[in-house]
Amino acid sequence: MSSKTRIEFDGFEEAISRLTKLNGNVKSISEKALKKTHEIIKQKAEDAITPHNQTHQTEKSLRKEAEIEWVGTVASVKTGFSISEGGLASIFLMYGTPRMKKDQKMYNAFWSKSTQQEVSEAQKEIFYNEIRRLNG
């Protein structure tokens, strides 16, 4: 299961505005925040896939490197498993099948409220640390 994750936290627009006024490098900070996002999700996914490593094929399809993608002024990072590289089983693990219950830990690695909150807090911290640094 592969998805794109963007920067989303309360006060994001304000943080961008403040960084711009301080002549901060918004692109660089955005990429740093997305790399941290990727790192958090990748670690949770690695932990969740461990019990399912019979062939290690799904584990190998986990996106290990953060690939930041820009479309205009919107940045995103691909997280999860590459379906074309053997990650199809990740979908069955996350959502289950008629004969197999879903793996809640695998699902939570990507979609749980706690994961989303952890990602949001990490992104927010990176932005506001940069604002504090630029303010002196």
Side-chain angles (χ1 to χ4, degrees), residues 22-112:
L22 294 168
N23 293 322
N25 188 337
V26 175
K27 184 174 181 177
S28 172
I29 295 303
S30 296
E31 289 184 359
K32 183 177 178 181
L34 287 170
K35 286 177 183 175
K36 180 65 176 177
T37 298
H38 181 271
E39 182 183 317
I40 291 167
I41 293 173
K42 180 186 72 138
Q43 185 59 53
K44 288 178 179 275
E46 283 177 336
D47 293 345
I49 196 67
T50 300
H52 304 286
N53 281 336
Q54 293 171 347
T55 65
H56 295 279
Q57 190 63 39
T58 306
E59 180 185 32
K60 289 176 188 173
S61 72
L62 182 64
R63 295 181 188 281
K64 304 253 194 275
E65 300 297 321
E67 296 174 28
I68 310 299
E69 207 173 278
W70 286 89
V71 177
T73 59
V74 178
S76 62
V77 64
K78 290 182 180 179
T79 56
F81 300 89
S82 172
I83 303 303
S84 64
E85 294 177 21
L88 183 61
S90 68
I91 295 172
F92 303 129
L93 291 169
M94 269 193 262
Y95 296 101
T97 69
R99 295 184 183 181
M100 179 183 81
K101 291 179 86 173
K102 76 177 186 177
D103 182 326
Q104 191 65 45
K105 187 173 181 182
M106 177 69 84
Y107 180 87
N108 289 347
F110 298 92
W111 307 114
S112 74

